[in-house]
Amino acid sequence: MLSNPYVNTLLFGIYPYVCLVVLLIGSLIRFDREPYTWKSDSSQMLRKHELRLGSNLFHYGIIVVILGHFAGFLAPHWAVDWALSPVAHQLLAMVVGGIAGLVAIFGLTILIHRRLSDPRIRLNSRKWDIAITFMLWLQLALGLLTVPLSAFHMDGVLFETLTSYVKGIVTLNGEASALMLGVPLAYKLHVLLGFTIFLVSPFTRMIHIWSGAGALSYLFRPYQIVRTPKTRAEEPTRP
């Protein structure tokens, strides 16, 4: 069905823009109407050692994956071709993306186990929080699946096709969807799920992806400020 030209145009030519528009407008509306929900709803007081390990592994890995996707698919050809051939570019993406993806999915697996195995954490978890977590896990799994599949296309043609498609979406090229007709199913599912995650993000805890700079600073922050009864008692009272 995904090979049908009309379905292909709908899913890879129209659907991406629907997702991106909903992401932008939905995020702006949520920021305007529900600014206090613009957060990841941390439960760090419960099983914090497991949270720290899983969260750090996931965030370090996913940041490398995201930056790699931006650099690999959106960098102009003239900025890459002078240093890397298409084959070398693809191999670099496979190695770096594969390692980062493994780190991220291992960390996310720890977080999923923590969330579902602890009754207190699960009780305080919204259904969409659990759903988006599994969507991210599946997206990472599909991404890792494309690594061995890419080994069968080491001529760089498939990688260049995917790169041209992503750039076509960004540059509003109406014919970009045609590039996806001959792409293997795993890559198509990976792309579709990625856009679907954009689509649902404004309605879930994933809204905090806009706070990317804050997330980066959080990863390198050596401490956290914790308010205790003692420190609250020492604070001066207001008249």
Side-chain angles (χ1 to χ4, degrees):
M1 184 178 70
L2 293 183
S3 299
N4 183 290
Y6 297 102
V7 175
N8 184 82
T9 300
L10 175 64
L11 294 180
F12 299 101
I14 299 175
Y15 182 64
Y17 294 111
V18 173
C19 296
L20 293 174
V21 168
V22 171
L23 172 65
L24 178 60
I25 297 179
S27 298
L28 291 174
I29 292 175
R30 181 167 175 179
F31 183 76
D32 180 61
R33 296 188 176 183
E34 302 178 17
Y36 293 108
T37 67
W38 195 284
K39 55 189 176 67
S40 59
D41 291 330
S42 174
S43 56
Q44 63 180 350
M45 299 305 295
L46 302 174
R47 299 176 68 169
K48 58 183 179 181
H49 297 296
E50 192 174 2
L51 171 63
R52 184 181 299 113
L53 175 62
S55 181
N56 285 338
L57 288 175
F58 170 69
H59 282 94
Y60 279 122
I62 202 66
I63 287 173
V64 173
V65 169
I66 292 174
L67 292 179
H69 276 64
F70 272 100
F73 290 110
L74 295 179
H77 290 293
W78 59 263
V80 178
D81 291 347
W82 68 272
L84 295 171
S85 66
V87 176
H89 191 186
Q90 176 178 332
L91 183 60
L92 179 63
M94 290 168 58
V95 173
V96 176
I99 294 174
L102 285 172
V103 171
I105 200 170
F106 181 68
L108 189 57
T109 301
I110 294 175
L111 294 177
I112 291 175
H113 175 267
R114 171 182 173 272
R115 183 169 293 276
L116 298 183
S117 62
D118 191 306
R120 294 176 299 173
I121 300 176
R122 185 168 185 174
L123 183 64
N124 290 291
S125 300
R126 291 186 289 265
K127 292 181 179 180
W128 259 117
D129 289 344
I130 297 176
I132 194 65
T133 302
F134 276 103
M135 290 174 67
L136 289 171
W137 193 96
L138 180 58
Q139 179 69 344
L140 286 168
L142 286 171
L144 289 172
L145 178 61
T146 64
V147 174
L149 290 178
S150 297
F152 294 98
H153 302 275
M154 288 305 298
D155 55 3
V157 175
L158 179 58
F159 184 77
E160 288 295 303
T161 299
L162 293 170
T163 300
S164 298
Y165 167 72
V166 174
K167 290 179 179 177
I169 292 297
V170 173
T171 57
L172 306 181
N173 183 350
E175 299 179 357
S177 61
L179 296 170
M180 296 296 291
L181 278 171
V183 171
L185 180 61
Y187 295 91
K188 291 183 177 182
L189 294 177
H190 187 56
V191 170
L192 288 176
L193 184 55
F195 282 118
T196 302
I197 290 174
F198 287 155
L199 178 70
V200 303
S201 289
F203 315 104
T204 71
R205 62 187 299 172
M206 280 294 294
I207 191 69
H208 77 286
I209 61 175
W210 288 109
S211 306
L216 286 173
S217 63
Y218 171 83
L219 291 177
F220 296 99
R221 187 171 61 188
Y223 62 88
Q224 291 184 338
I225 298 176
V226 179
R227 295 170 61 86
T228 65
K230 181 179 179 180
T231 56
R232 287 196 296 268
E234 292 175 351
E235 292 180 355
T237 58
R238 295 182 179 180

